[in-house]
Amino acid sequence: MNSVQRILGLESSCDETGVALVEVDGDAPPRLLAQGLYSQIAMHQAYGGVVPELASRDHVRRVLPLTREVLSQAGVALQDVDLIAYTQGPGLAGALLVGAGVAVSLAAALDVPALPVHHLEGHLLSPFLSVDPPEFPFVALLVSGGHTQLMRVDDVGAYEMLGETIDDAAGEAFDKSAKLLGLPYPGGPHLARMAEFGNPEAFALPRPLLHSGKPDFSFAGLKTAVLTQVKKIGDSPCEQTKADLAASTQAAIVEVLVKKSLLALKMTGLKRLVVAGGVGANSKLREQLNAACEKRGVRVHYPELSLCTDNGAMIAMAAALRVQRGSAEPRRDGGFEVRPRWELGAA
């Protein structure tokens, strides 16, 4: 196998089609050559959430044109790709099948291997694409619309679960609370913007499991508390009241995420924290984590803002790091399966 390898990564687990090309040269840090992303947000807004069948059909339309665009940006011919990585799961089954089918078909046509990648591992390793990449070992806070987990990470593939949500994810708490406030899909970013103009102490909202002494999360009770407050303020609250409730909701979520992250750091004795996933783009979360960790001599690493949401670059990077460590298990037999439910670290 050549010392220089070009890895094409395809991401299609939900409502974003992502394609990226990463170059691996020996033991040097993998280099992102080009990437492209198409978001389906506008299409799903009319329904207030992701419609799986529409998501799958749109991936079919977008993935090949986006691949051509990325290869053109990089100045690389399709025939010069050495490996094709794709998201195997978790995610929407139909959406995953599109990416997997295209990846394996392209690999067969090019006579190169195809490598299935865990979506959460992609998020977990996405900060290695930043200008300030982390070093192993570290504690990782994976926080998105579907997952909220704290993990000890000793190396690529060496993950120990420390704690996770027992019900809703943090991203769900943002999105569902935003919907209760009448904000458009996707609600989380809209709630965060509205919160900038509100008083975070205006409403006394619960912080579930905050003092449990364990690094587990729970956000379902917070969503119920927000619903109760929405009913109290009536059908036509003023914008300031809505902003206050948005700010109070965000403050509750962020406080739990920060305190649980600090607990995980204390439990492990590690001095490095990696934050990944869509909620990791939240400015208030970054501000409070940075302040709390600085006091404790802890380094915090984030992916670039453009890489917080689902993207092909994180899939290509995860594949590249596994290739470098010799832990990749690519296939050449043209077969594949998708895993809509798949715990990180499970076989």
Side-chain angles (χ1 to χ4, degrees):
M1 189 171 288
N2 295 331
S3 62
V4 177
Q5 298 179 66
R6 296 185 178 95
I7 299 174
L8 186 69
L10 306 183
E11 156 61 25
S12 66
S13 64
C14 191
D15 61 343
E16 280 149 331
T17 310
V19 180
L21 190 67
V22 165
E23 184 176 82
V24 180
D25 188 357
D27 294 328
R31 187 165 63 97
L32 179 63
L33 300 181
Q35 68 162 325
L37 185 69
Y38 183 84
S39 173
Q40 302 174 3
I41 286 176
M43 180 176 67
H44 295 295
Q45 274 180 333
Y47 306 96
V50 177
V51 181
E53 178 64 20
L54 294 180
S56 302
R57 290 173 181 266
D58 202 61
H59 286 309
V60 172
R61 285 192 291 268
R62 308 293 178 181
V63 64
L64 288 178
L66 201 57
T67 300
R68 296 189 190 99
E69 179 183 315
V70 166
L71 291 171
S72 177
Q73 286 177 21
V76 173
L78 181 60
Q79 291 74 16
D80 293 329
V81 171
D82 300 292
L83 184 147
I84 301 179
Y86 63 92
T87 304
Q88 186 180 23
L92 302 175
L96 291 167
L97 282 168
V98 174
V102 169
V104 171
S105 298
L106 278 176
L110 296 171
D111 192 25
V112 300
L115 179 65
V117 172
H118 198 295
H119 177 77
L120 295 183
E121 183 170 73
H123 275 303
L124 186 69
L125 301 176
S126 60
F128 284 91
L129 286 161
S130 71
V131 296
D132 181 28
E135 296 177 3
F136 297 106
F138 54 79
V139 168
L141 172 65
L142 281 172
V143 56
S144 65
H147 301 86
T148 302
Q149 301 175 334
L150 280 162
M151 308 190 78
R152 179 189 173 111
V153 180
D154 289 304
D155 204 341
V156 177
Y159 312 128
E160 177 190 352
M161 183 72 71
L162 301 173
E164 60 185 331
T165 182
I166 62 173
D167 42 56
D168 287 354
E172 286 180 276
F174 269 111
D175 291 340
K176 290 177 179 178
S177 298
K179 191 170 185 178
L180 291 172
L181 285 167
L183 299 176
Y185 168 84
H190 289 284
L191 186 146
R193 283 193 286 272
M194 176 175 278
E196 294 177 11
F197 304 98
N199 176 6
E201 299 178 355
F203 291 86
L205 297 176
R207 273 76 165 160
L209 300 184
L210 185 64
H211 303 294
S212 68
K214 298 179 180 179
D216 291 316
F217 304 87
S218 173
F219 293 105
L222 173 61
K223 177 193 65 179
T224 302
V226 172
L227 174 60
T228 299
Q229 296 299 332
V230 167
K231 290 179 178 178
K232 285 183 179 179
I233 62 179
D235 295 332
S236 302
C238 68
E239 287 302 305
Q240 186 59 53
T241 299
K242 290 174 65 176
D244 287 345
L245 184 51
S248 299
T249 302
Q250 177 176 255
I253 297 171
V254 167
E255 183 178 356
V256 171
L257 292 174
V258 171
K259 293 290 178 62
K260 296 293 185 176
S261 297
L262 295 177
L263 176 60
L265 288 163
K266 183 178 180 180
M267 288 171 55
T268 60
L270 297 177
K271 292 293 185 179
R272 198 177 297 273
L273 177 68
V274 162
V275 183
V279 180
N282 182 277
S283 60
K284 189 60 66 174
L285 175 62
R286 290 191 175 210
E287 175 187 314
Q288 293 193 18
L289 271 177
N290 288 342
C293 288
E294 184 178 4
K295 288 181 181 179
R296 294 162 176 81
V298 173
R299 287 284 309 279
V300 190
H301 300 264
Y302 307 91
E304 306 297 338
L305 285 174
S306 62
L307 299 178
C308 284
T309 55
D310 297 346
N311 60 85
M314 69 183 195
I315 301 304
M317 171 56 81
L321 291 173
R322 280 194 170 269
V323 165
Q324 283 187 322
R325 283 160 174 75
S327 61
E329 297 181 1
R331 299 178 60 169
R332 285 182 176 270
D333 60 1
F336 67 91
E337 62 175 331
V338 297
R339 305 179 69 172
R341 292 184 177 275
W342 187 12
E343 293 295 325
L344 185 58

